[in-house]
Amino acid sequence: MRAAIRSLRGFTLIELVITVAIVGVLAMMAAPLLEVTVKRQKEVELRDALRQIRGAIDAYKQAVLDKRVESAADASGYPPRLELLAEGVPDITSPDRHMIYFMRRLPRDPMYPAADVPAQETWGKRAYASAPDDPQEGDDVYDVYSLSAGTGLNGVPYRQW
């Protein structure tokens, strides 16, 4: 009878302490994995955003070469501002001057720390006339890069992606 009453009382203190210790060890092992997973997701977003913007810049350049977008004779043919890719430009071959849009919206740099900054200001911009190893802004936007000082999981700094 005494054994039946004892089994109804529940867990002992030792059993609870061991269970809490096991859960704590599992949580400590999962925390670094969670950090890597979050970083990897941001890197995927960064790679996708760079691909979208660079594709839109190339499409703008092609539209200039196809003489659908007005450009000065001495210009490089790249967009003068990054925002034009989403704002659109008039199609000079269209009688109604319909707008050509190269992107629906300009993505933000996911590595940029401040959320209240406009998307176009989260990217570093390289002009056509600047050197690849020392990107500088200029009269046009030839390429974009992340302003983050961090390094990716692959060991390459985000600025070089």
Side-chain angles (χ1 to χ4, degrees), residues 80-112:
R81 296 180 298 119
L82 195 57
E83 308 88 74
L84 284 181
L85 301 174
E87 292 173 1
V89 292
D91 183 353
I92 59 174
T93 62
S94 169
D96 297 334
R97 291 241 175 189
H98 291 289
M99 299 293 281
I100 303 174
Y101 299 98
F102 301 97
M103 305 181 82
R104 288 183 179 217
R105 66 171 184 79
L106 187 64
R108 298 179 52 77
D109 180 354
M111 302 300 179
Y112 198 81

Side-chain angles (χ1 to χ4, degrees), residues 39 43 111 146-152 155-161:
K39 186 172 183 175
E43 288 184 2
M111 302 300 179
S146 178
L147 294 174
S148 174
T151 302
V156 178
Y158 294 128
R159 292 178 68 98
Q160 295 177 9
W161 284 27

Side-chain angles (χ1 to χ4, degrees), residues 64-144:
V64 169
L65 292 174
D66 294 341
K67 301 202 182 327
R68 295 184 65 201
V69 175
E70 194 170 353
S71 180
D74 61 342
S76 67
Y78 290 98
R81 296 180 298 119
L82 195 57
E83 308 88 74
L84 284 181
L85 301 174
E87 292 173 1
V89 292
D91 183 353
I92 59 174
T93 62
S94 169
D96 297 334
R97 291 241 175 189
H98 291 289
M99 299 293 281
I100 303 174
Y101 299 98
F102 301 97
M103 305 181 82
R104 288 183 179 217
R105 66 171 184 79
L106 187 64
R108 298 179 52 77
D109 180 354
M111 302 300 179
Y112 198 81
D116 59 339
V117 176
Q120 65 269 14
E121 293 178 22
T122 63
W123 296 103
K125 298 160 200 78
R126 176 181 164 216
Y128 182 73
S130 75
D133 55 345
D134 184 29
Q136 301 292 324
E137 288 191 36
D139 296 333
D140 56 12
V141 180
Y142 174 71
D143 195 15
V144 292

Side-chain angles (χ1 to χ4, degrees), residues 36-53:
V36 169
T37 302
V38 168
K39 186 172 183 175
R40 182 170 288 129
Q41 179 61 35
K42 280 189 167 188
E43 288 184 2
V44 167
E45 291 175 25
L46 174 62
R47 192 172 290 115
D48 186 46
L50 286 169
R51 189 174 295 122
Q52 287 178 17
I53 294 172

